[in-house]
Amino acid sequence: MQELHDAPLAPLTTFRLGGPAARLITATTDAEVIDAVRAADAAGTPLLVIGGGSNLVIGDQGFDGTALRIATTGFDLRGTTLELAAGEVWTDAVARTVEAGLAGVECLSGIPGSAGATPIQNVGAYGQEVSATITEVVAYDRAAGETVTLSNEECAFSYRHSRFKEHPERYVVLRVRFGLEDAGGLSAPLRYAETARALGVSAGDRVPLERARETVLKLRAGKGMVLDPEDHDTWSAGSFFTNPILTDAEFGAFRARVRERLGEDAEPPAYPAGEGRTKTSAAWLIDRAGFTKGYGTGPARISTKHTLALTNRGGATTKDLLDLAREVVAGVREAFGVTLVNEPVTVGVSL
């Protein structure tokens, strides 16, 4: 277990932003993770858990406590059952499931970060969410002082949310277990229209796993959503805002604002999100409110490839990033009466 003091945290995040931690511990085994958490809790020291750093915004002042970087490894595939250590690189693990001919997470290719973060955020993209394949999550319960195993139902998954996100100070994810599908080398049925179009098939069809993976990677790269140290469009947290889910009344008011602003024939994106609820597109809202690709003049700007990604063009501070985020939130609210919510976890700062 490595320990550093006054340690830079910016290099551990995909934004490359944030001040130092008073203390940084890198744990390579579950036992080291648990020991570090118990020590911090016993001493009353603030604790920040870091995986791949792809969904993290750290304040410029840094973190006055113990930052715990989880660097555990473990890829255990038995039949269609997969167990991943929390520190496993997610996109590498997905590639290995595709190589093994197993379906269920192939459309989550290219998503940066660690396996342990996937259940926290209920990571999803291109028609798949990890909640559809996660069977169990092994975590250290700081309140109980013991390791627990939570079933899929106990994880309380919903859109970009979970029990772990609801109680961020309670659980530290150690291992994630998945139930995948052997479909003879084919993908799961495609649920996302853009992916199906790119593959030249219909929604609900299956395609060879490697074709699905390659297509998703190409789509993500075109939006700056695949990490590239030389491409500042990827110096981001991916989608900075979640897609708003509105009640029928809220969606009706929103629709009226859209027509008032864009014309009587204008229709906003609308997707069913449960009884009496509709999901709309954050990217559409941002673009139609006037924040187009590449918006901004400072070191933090909207991606030139995707309006949903806020980026560090080099030399930005977290303050620069949040100033831009607040401008976008205020502009969308003024234009359409909808308040965007940030997807990344914030440390020492907030919108």
Side-chain angles (χ1 to χ4, degrees), residues 225-240:
M225 297 292 186
V226 176
L227 291 180
D228 179 352
E230 303 303 317
D231 184 359
H232 284 276
D233 272 318
T234 72
W235 289 30
S236 74
S239 299
F240 195 88

Side-chain angles (χ1 to χ4, degrees), residues 234-250:
T234 72
W235 289 30
S236 74
S239 299
F240 195 88
F241 300 103
T242 58
N243 290 321
I245 296 178
L246 309 175
T247 64
D248 286 345
E250 290 169 340

Side-chain angles (χ1 to χ4, degrees), residues 146-163:
E146 63 184 17
T147 300
V148 296
T149 300
L150 288 80
S151 67
N152 181 288
E153 184 178 2
E154 290 171 322
C155 291
F157 290 120
S158 60
Y159 173 65
R160 301 298 174 270
H161 202 69
S162 69
R163 180 174 183 172

Side-chain angles (χ1 to χ4, degrees), residues 180-241:
L180 303 175
E181 178 189 7
D182 185 347
L186 297 179
S187 69
L190 298 171
R191 305 296 183 195
Y192 199 69
E194 183 183 13
T195 314
R197 281 196 305 271
L199 285 159
V201 299
S202 300
D205 287 349
R206 295 176 185 261
V207 297
L209 280 163
E210 189 56 42
R211 278 192 65 204
R213 172 175 160 74
E214 289 174 355
T215 299
V216 166
L217 287 172
K218 186 178 294 185
L219 289 171
R220 289 186 64 85
K223 299 174 183 178
M225 297 292 186
V226 176
L227 291 180
D228 179 352
E230 303 303 317
D231 184 359
H232 284 276
D233 272 318
T234 72
W235 289 30
S236 74
S239 299
F240 195 88
F241 300 103

Side-chain angles (χ1 to χ4, degrees), residues 2 17 34 47 62 106 131 170 174 219 230 236 242 276 329 350:
Q2 183 188 68
L17 296 177
I34 293 169
L47 180 69
E106 62 279 0
S131 58
R170 179 167 180 178
L174 302 173
L219 289 171
E230 303 303 317
S236 74
T242 58
V329 170
S350 66

